[in-house]
């Protein structure tokens, strides 16, 4: 019986186009609920890269051990290259304004001291780096929630890198301390080597001292031998005196003979002197003799020329006579003078010889004896001198060895001092590289290393709870459903009004105003329960009530228009379809940027989009341009819907069979 009845009902939908469309609608509506929802929210977190987020890099950088650190720029590059969100690099003013106006879901600011704080982990004032994030729940509560989750991941990633930087800073100090310790170790090694060299030098000094001692002993022995030789020299001198006595006797005899020699020599000198005087006298007469011979020769020449043969013979004889030349006579005179001087000197020498032989006679005896003893002593002195020389050589060798050892000792001492200084410098440098922290500094350093990067959240318009975050969606949704229920009970166009000659506007308003009263009651009842019962915090209560009245008015006008234009059955199906489209595209849950392109395209065309947007401003935020844009759109859509309803009301004054017997009614 049931199947027959069902078959009969289904057979009723087989006549006419509208019933067939109704069957299709019955099949498609579940698809709208299921597939449309799943399609819209299939993977919103996988499309976070479409969410516009402001990124402000104010980091001034820092210097670390002569190297420029630009951690802020590095972080900004990493975020933009990663593409986890739609990062928009901008300045602080634009970011703040964009977050307030909804152009950005939130803003991330890297402060000016970001790099300096990272580099401070090993300094005197360790400070954790910080990233500033500004949210606005009035843009989207889910968007803020997703943003906080994303920033947690960003913070963890940055903290890992920053932690490496911070630990690296500390390790750099410890590494420098290690370098200082290694330098100290090198100094200690040098000190050890210098000590060893100093020991070797000291040993050589000791060996040189031993050699010097042996040389000194040899020198002493040589001195003893020299003393013995000196004694022998004294004995030889005694014997020399005896010999000199004997020499004196011989010298006396020679002196007596030399006296006679001196007398004879003196006589010879006197004779030579007299001869010289005679020759000088003769020489003085030679010029006169020469003149006379010249006169005689002239006379004989004259006589011979006169024919006197005897004169010629005398002249020839005179010419053949070899008379001495004046130059020869002068030479002979000089020789005689020299002979005279030599004879005189010889006489003087003979006299001196006689005197000297007498003196020699006096001292030669002693001299002869002493000379013999002296020769013997001199030989012994020479032997002692040889021994002394050998000892001195040994002493010199030992002294040289001692000097070399002393030089090495000096070098070793210098190296020892250098190694000690290097050790001291290394230990000092190492000690200065290890932080000497106070308790407060130690705590701050531990905090900086444990949490190198912190997120400083600021919410321009925070939602107090999850319910408050979802209220801008569910309140308009409730009003839209409330309107749907209202039009199930109320007629969009009253039949009596259509039967009168009233204008289409009057007919439309006749159906619309009663629904508006119900809508106002729904608004007040809903806000009362949500506000007082659930504790919803509303930032602007009066504005919220006024705006929700406008939302309810718009939804009722749109639904009335659909029912009037499309008819009761098709209009209700269209209203349900519109509800589904609005829920999935109004950005009441996930940001519309995370939904497929279809929903992004219809997002700005549907009234619930503006209802959600304006209500967020009023509940959690500060009213701005978005609220007035929503008001303008909703007012315009309300007027347009009423105009369409009024137009349709004017056309419905003519009754047809289809209107009297509709193919489908709900």
């Amino acid at each position: 019986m049931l199947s027959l009845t069902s078959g009969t009902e289904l057979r009723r939908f087989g006549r006419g186009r509208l019933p067939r469309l109704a069957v299709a609608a019955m099949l498609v509506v579940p698809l709208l609920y299921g597939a449309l929802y799943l399609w819209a929210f299939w993977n919103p977190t996988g499309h976070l890269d479409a969410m516009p987020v402001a990124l402000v890099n104010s980091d001034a950088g820092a210097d670390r051990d002569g190297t420029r650190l630009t951690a802020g720029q590095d972080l900004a590059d990493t975020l933009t290259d990663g593409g986890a969100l739609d990062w928009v690099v901008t300045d602080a003013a634009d970011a703040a304004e964009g977050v307030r106006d909804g152009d950005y879901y939130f803003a991330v600011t890297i402060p000016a001291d970001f790099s300096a704080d990272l580099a401070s982990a090993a300094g005197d004032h360790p400070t954790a780096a910080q990233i500033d994030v500004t949210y606005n729940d009035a843009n989207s509560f889910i968007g803020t929630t997703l943003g906080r989750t994303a920033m947690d991941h960003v913070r963890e990633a940055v903290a890992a890198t920053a932690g490496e930087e911070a630990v690296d800073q500390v390790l750099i100090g410890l590494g420098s301390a290690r370098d200082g310790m290694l330098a100290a170790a090198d100094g200690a090694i040098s000190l050890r080597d210098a000590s060893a060299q100093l020991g070797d030098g000291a040993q050589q000094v000791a060996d040189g001292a031993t050699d010097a001692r042996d040389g000194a002993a040899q020198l002493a022995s040589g001195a003893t031998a020299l003393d013995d030789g000196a004694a022998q020299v004294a004995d030889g001198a005694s014997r020399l005196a005896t010999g000199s006595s004997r020499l004196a006797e011989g010298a006396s005899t020679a002196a007596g003979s030399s006296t006679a020699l001196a007398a004879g020599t003196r006589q010879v000198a006197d004779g030579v002197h007299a001869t010289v005087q005679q020759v000088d006298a003769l020489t003085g007469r030679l010029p006169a003799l020469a003149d006379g011979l010249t006169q005689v020769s002239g006379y004989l020449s004259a006589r011979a020329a006169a024919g006197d043969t005897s004169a010629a013979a005398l002249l020839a004889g005179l010419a053949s006579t070899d008379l001495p030349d004046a130059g020869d006579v002068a030479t002979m005179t000089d020789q005689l003078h020299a002979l005279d001087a030599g004879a005189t000197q010889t006489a003087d020498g003979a006299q001196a010889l006689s005197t000297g032989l007498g003196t020699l006679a006096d001292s030669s005896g002693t001299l002869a004896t002493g000379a013999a003893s002296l020769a013997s002593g001199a030989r012994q002195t020479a032997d002692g001198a040889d021994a002394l020389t050998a000892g001195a050589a040994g002493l010199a060798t030992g002294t040289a060895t001692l000097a070399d050892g002393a030089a090495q000792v000096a070098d070793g001492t210098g190296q020892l001092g250098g190694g000690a200084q290097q050790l001291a410098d290394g230990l000092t440098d190492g000690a200065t590289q290890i932080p000497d922290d106070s308790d407060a500094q130690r705590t701050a350093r531990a905090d900086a290393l444990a949490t190198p990067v912190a997120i400083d959240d600021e919410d321009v318009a925070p939602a107090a709870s999850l319910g408050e975050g979802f209220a801008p969606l569910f309140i308009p949704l409730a009003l839209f459903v409330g309107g749907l229920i209202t039009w199930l009970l109320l007629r969009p166009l009253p039949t009596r009004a259509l039967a009168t000659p009233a204008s289409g506007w009057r007919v439309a308003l006749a159906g619309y105003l009663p629904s508006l009263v119900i809508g106002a009651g729904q608004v007040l009842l809903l806000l009362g329960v949500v506000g007082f019962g659930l504790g919803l915090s509303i930032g602007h209560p009066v504005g919220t009530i006024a705006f929700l009245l406008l939302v309810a008015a718009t939804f009722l006008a749109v639904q009335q228009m659909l029912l009037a234009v499309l008819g009761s059955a098709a209009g209700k199906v269209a209203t349900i379809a519109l509800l589904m489209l609005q829920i999935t595209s109004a950005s009441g849950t996930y940001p519309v940027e995370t939904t497929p392109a279809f929903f992004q395209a219809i997002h700005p065309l549907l009234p619930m989009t503006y209802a959600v947007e304006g209500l967020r401003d009023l509940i959690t935020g500060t009213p701005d341009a978005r609220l007035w844009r929503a008001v303008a759109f909703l007012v315009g859509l309300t007027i347009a819907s009423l105009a369409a309803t009024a137009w349709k009301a004017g056309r419905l004054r003519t009754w047809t069979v289809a209107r009297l017997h509709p193919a489908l009614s709900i």
Side-chain angles (χ1 to χ4, degrees):
M1 188 69 175
L2 180 62
S3 61
L4 180 60
T5 303
S6 300
T8 301
E9 284 296 309
L10 289 177
R11 188 178 298 116
R12 184 168 63 88
F13 286 92
R15 296 189 299 270
R17 184 175 60 180
L18 187 58
R20 292 189 180 94
L21 290 176
V23 173
M26 288 187 288
L27 295 175
V28 171
V29 166
L31 178 63
L32 292 177
Y33 272 95
L36 200 63
Y37 267 106
L38 288 176
W39 182 30
F41 305 123
W42 185 259
N43 184 24
T45 58
H47 298 87
L48 297 181
D49 55 349
M51 289 179 57
V53 179
L55 178 60
V56 180
N57 178 24
S58 301
D59 181 32
D63 291 326
R64 182 186 64 185
D65 297 331
T67 302
R68 189 65 179 168
L69 179 64
T70 56
Q73 186 61 50
D74 296 341
L75 173 58
D77 293 341
T78 301
L79 293 178
T80 54
D81 293 342
L85 297 168
D86 182 15
W87 297 103
V88 179
V89 180
T90 183
D91 55 30
D94 178 69
E97 182 179 358
V99 172
R100 286 194 306 270
D101 296 343
D103 296 332
Y104 308 120
Y105 282 94
F106 59 95
V108 177
T109 301
I110 304 172
D113 54 0
F114 185 74
S115 294
D117 288 342
L118 285 181
S120 70
D124 294 334
H125 303 287
T127 305
Q130 181 173 287
I131 299 176
D132 299 329
V133 184
T134 304
Y135 300 103
N136 187 354
D137 289 351
N139 296 333
S140 170
F141 179 79
I142 294 296
T144 297
T145 303
L146 294 174
R148 294 182 191 277
T149 302
M151 287 310 302
D152 285 339
H153 292 299
V154 170
R155 184 194 63 78
E156 292 173 359
V158 175
T161 303
E164 293 177 1
E165 292 281 350
V167 172
D168 182 59
Q169 289 298 302
V170 176
L171 292 181
I172 286 175
L174 295 178
S176 299
R178 175 181 177 274
D179 295 340
M181 296 302 182
L182 290 177
D186 293 339
I189 292 173
S190 300
L191 185 62
R192 180 200 63 192
D193 295 340
S195 299
Q197 187 173 2
L198 182 61
D200 294 340
Q203 184 60 45
Q204 293 182 10
V205 170
D207 295 340
T210 302
D211 294 339
R213 181 196 61 194
D214 296 339
Q218 294 179 6
L219 183 61
S221 299
T224 301
L226 182 61
D227 184 57
D228 294 339
Q232 293 179 6
V233 169
D235 294 338
S238 185
R239 290 191 295 272
L240 180 60
T242 304
S244 298
S245 175
R246 296 177 181 174
L247 179 60
E249 294 177 357
S252 297
T253 303
S257 300
S258 62
T259 301
L261 177 60
T265 302
R266 175 60 63 188
Q267 290 178 0
V268 171
D270 292 340
V272 171
H273 184 67
T275 302
V276 170
Q277 289 179 343
Q278 292 177 0
V279 171
D280 287 339
L282 179 60
T283 300
R285 290 193 294 271
L286 282 177
L289 178 59
D291 293 337
L293 287 175
T294 300
Q295 294 177 1
V296 171
S297 176
Y299 177 75
L300 289 177
S301 294
R303 291 297 299 170
D308 188 352
T309 58
S310 58
L314 288 173
L315 182 60
L318 182 59
S320 61
T321 300
D322 188 12
L323 294 176
D325 185 78
D328 293 338
V329 174
T331 299
M332 181 180 66
T333 301
D334 292 338
Q335 291 176 352
L336 287 175
H337 280 288
L339 180 60
D340 181 30
T344 302
Q345 291 178 359
T346 300
D348 293 339
Q351 184 61 42
L353 178 60
S354 176
T355 303
L357 286 175
T359 303
L360 178 61
D362 295 335
S363 58
S364 59
T366 303
L367 178 61
T369 302
S373 298
L374 182 61
S376 178
R379 284 193 299 272
Q380 293 184 10
T381 300
D383 293 339
D386 290 340
L388 182 62
T389 301
L395 179 61
T397 302
T399 303
T401 303
L402 181 62
D404 293 338
Q408 294 185 15
V409 169
D411 293 339
T413 302
Q415 295 182 9
L416 181 64
Q421 184 62 44
Q422 186 177 2
L423 177 61
D425 293 342
L427 290 175
T428 300
D429 293 340
T432 56
Q433 294 296 331
I434 299 176
D436 184 15
D437 290 347
S438 63
D439 293 340
Q441 285 177 315
R442 192 158 33 251
T443 301
R445 197 181 308 281
D447 292 340
L449 291 176
T451 309
V453 176
I455 300 294
D456 183 19
D457 293 345
E458 178 187 0
D459 208 321
V460 175
S465 63
L466 183 63
E468 187 174 314
F470 280 105
L473 170 65
F474 283 107
I475 291 177
L477 176 61
L479 293 177
F480 193 92
V481 174
L484 180 61
I485 299 299
T486 299
W487 291 119
L488 288 177
L489 301 175
L490 298 180
R491 294 178 180 179
L493 295 175
T495 304
R496 287 187 179 184
L498 289 174
T500 65
S503 66
W505 274 102
R506 290 186 65 182
V507 174
L509 290 175
Y512 177 71
L513 291 177
S515 69
L516 186 59
V517 173
I518 299 298
Q522 291 173 344
V523 169
L524 295 176
L525 183 61
L526 179 61
L527 284 181
V529 173
V530 171
F532 295 102
L534 300 180
L536 176 65
S537 176
I538 300 176
H540 303 275
V542 176
T544 301
I545 294 173
F547 182 75
L548 285 179
L549 289 174
L550 175 61
V551 170
T554 303
F555 287 166
L556 290 169
V558 171
Q559 291 174 359
Q560 181 191 27
M561 181 266 298
L562 292 175
L563 292 171
V565 174
L566 299 178
S568 177
K572 291 175 182 177
V573 173
T575 301
I576 294 174
L578 177 61
L579 174 62
M580 297 302 100
L581 291 174
Q582 291 189 114
I583 292 175
T584 54
S585 63
S587 186
T589 53
Y590 290 98
V592 69
E593 289 84 1
T594 65
T595 61
F598 169 75
F599 300 100
Q600 296 184 42
I602 65 175
H603 171 75
L605 305 177
L606 302 177
M608 193 173 290
T609 296
Y610 298 92
V612 171
E613 192 174 73
L615 199 55
R616 279 176 177 160
D617 263 14
L618 290 166
I619 293 177
T620 60
T622 301
D624 54 26
R626 287 177 291 178
L627 173 62
W628 306 119
R629 181 175 59 194
V631 169
F633 180 88
L634 293 176
V635 169
L637 183 59
T638 300
I639 296 174
S641 298
L642 289 174
T645 302
W647 167 80
K648 185 64 177 177
R651 294 178 60 87
L652 290 177
R653 293 183 182 278
T654 303
W655 288 87
T656 63
V657 175
R659 286 185 62 197
L660 292 173
H661 302 283
L664 181 66
S665 62
I666 301 177

